[in-house]
Amino acid sequence: MTGDAVVQEVGGRPTISWWQVLRVILVLGWVAWAAVTWWAAPRESTPEQVRADIAAQRLTYYEWGDGWRNQGGLVSPFPADLQESGGPGPILLWHTTDGRRHHTTVEEQNTSDDSAPEANALNQQLQAYEARRPADPPVGAIQAGLLIAGSLLFLWALVSAPDPVTGTKWFWFWLVSGVPLGLGLLWWLARERPWRPQTQPRFGPPARDNRLKWWAGIGVSILLGFAISLTLIGLRSLLGEDVVPLVR
């Protein structure tokens, strides 16, 4: 019985390998993070909807911006932030009590105070609502907590586990940290030790180390980033933003 076994016999009773427990925890953590991220991703709405959310006291947070900033570009479809506009318009982002986020384009912002009456009127309504605004759900804190916990567990497992089979530890570090949406983590969990039986021969000299190196991890992560981004764009155009939102 090896350390890679799923179930080990100890004193005649089967016990679950701690590596398998960690594997389940990482998978469940990724599912929870993906679900929260999908739920809270901003979706396009209308000025009428933000007014309805204000009237129902569902709005918990808002900000104005000029456009979306995505430092990852096509290689990484997230994260993207709203660029501050310094005043009302043209894009309004707001949160609601159910933990969701919405955005809408009100009017193009100009220098004249009278050039964007709808944006100014909506901004005055938002400022008047400020005193009644309920607390914002801690969705961002939950996302960050799951991401940090998953990253620490991955690093600990990568360092503590036996040498990988497909690539070196640096290969997996760059691939898991570089592939969008945490999909590199799922690949590592499905492919590598200690969740995969060892492939070294039992007899004779050890096989030549032909594992993928660190530079391959960077290259594969870049290629997968392009592929995932293009796939998301295609699915979004086919299924709509409600089903495949732009992760920001």
Side-chain angles (χ1 to χ4, degrees), residues 123-136:
N123 189 54
Q124 292 176 1
Q125 191 174 358
L126 288 167
Q127 291 177 347
Y129 172 76
E130 189 71 26
R132 308 182 276 122
R133 184 164 58 89
D136 195 24

Side-chain angles (χ1 to χ4, degrees), residues 7-51:
V7 180
Q8 299 174 336
E9 294 287 342
V10 178
R13 299 182 61 184
T15 59
I16 302 297
S17 168
W18 280 109
W19 288 116
Q20 289 296 326
V21 174
L22 177 60
R23 186 189 197 188
V24 172
I25 291 175
L26 285 171
V27 171
L28 292 179
W30 179 88
V31 171
W33 173 84
V36 173
T37 301
W38 178 85
W39 178 261
R43 289 167 169 84
E44 189 172 6
S45 187
T46 62
E48 290 73 21
Q49 183 59 51
V50 68
R51 291 188 176 92

Side-chain angles (χ1 to χ4, degrees), residues 15-232:
T15 59
I16 302 297
S17 168
W18 280 109
W19 288 116
Q20 289 296 326
V21 174
L22 177 60
R23 186 189 197 188
V24 172
I25 291 175
L26 285 171
V27 171
L28 292 179
W30 179 88
V31 171
W33 173 84
V36 173
T37 301
W38 178 85
W39 178 261
R43 289 167 169 84
E44 189 172 6
S45 187
T46 62
E48 290 73 21
Q49 183 59 51
V50 68
R51 291 188 176 92
D53 289 334
I54 292 174
Q57 297 188 14
R58 290 190 298 261
L59 189 145
T60 61
Y61 171 84
Y62 71 92
E63 62 178 308
W64 294 98
D66 288 323
W68 299 104
R69 178 177 59 248
N70 186 353
Q71 297 179 347
L74 186 61
V75 175
S76 178
F78 70 102
D81 298 315
L82 190 64
Q83 295 178 339
E84 294 184 3
S85 62
I91 299 176
L92 175 65
L93 172 71
W94 73 96
H95 303 182
T96 50
T97 52
D98 58 359
R100 311 204 78 168
R101 289 180 284 180
H102 314 269
H103 67 91
T104 187
T105 300
V106 182
E107 284 185 11
E108 292 296 333
Q109 185 182 16
N110 297 305
T111 56
S112 174
D113 292 338
D114 299 329
S115 60
E118 184 178 6
N120 288 328
L122 184 55
N123 189 54
Q124 292 176 1
Q125 191 174 358
L126 288 167
Q127 291 177 347
Y129 172 76
E130 189 71 26
R132 308 182 276 122
R133 184 164 58 89
D136 195 24
V139 176
I142 294 174
Q143 285 179 282
L146 289 171
L147 181 61
I148 293 173
S151 299
L152 292 177
L153 285 175
F154 161 70
L155 291 175
W156 177 81
L158 186 65
V159 172
S160 303
D163 287 338
V165 176
T166 304
T168 63
K169 292 185 178 183
W170 278 113
F171 166 83
W172 285 112
F173 171 80
W174 290 113
L175 189 139
V176 172
S177 61
V179 174
L181 306 177
L183 297 180
L185 176 67
L186 299 184
W187 185 6
W188 174 69
L189 290 173
R191 179 68 183 92
E192 283 296 351
R193 298 174 183 170
W195 309 289
R196 181 178 175 85
Q198 297 185 14
T199 58
Q200 293 289 348
R202 297 180 61 183
F203 304 101
R208 182 174 62 88
D209 186 2
N210 57 356
R211 295 176 299 169
L212 298 172
K213 303 302 189 291
W214 63 269
W215 48 266
I218 296 176
V220 171
S221 65
I222 292 175
L223 293 176
L224 287 178
F226 277 110
I228 293 171
S229 297
L230 293 175
T231 301
L232 289 176

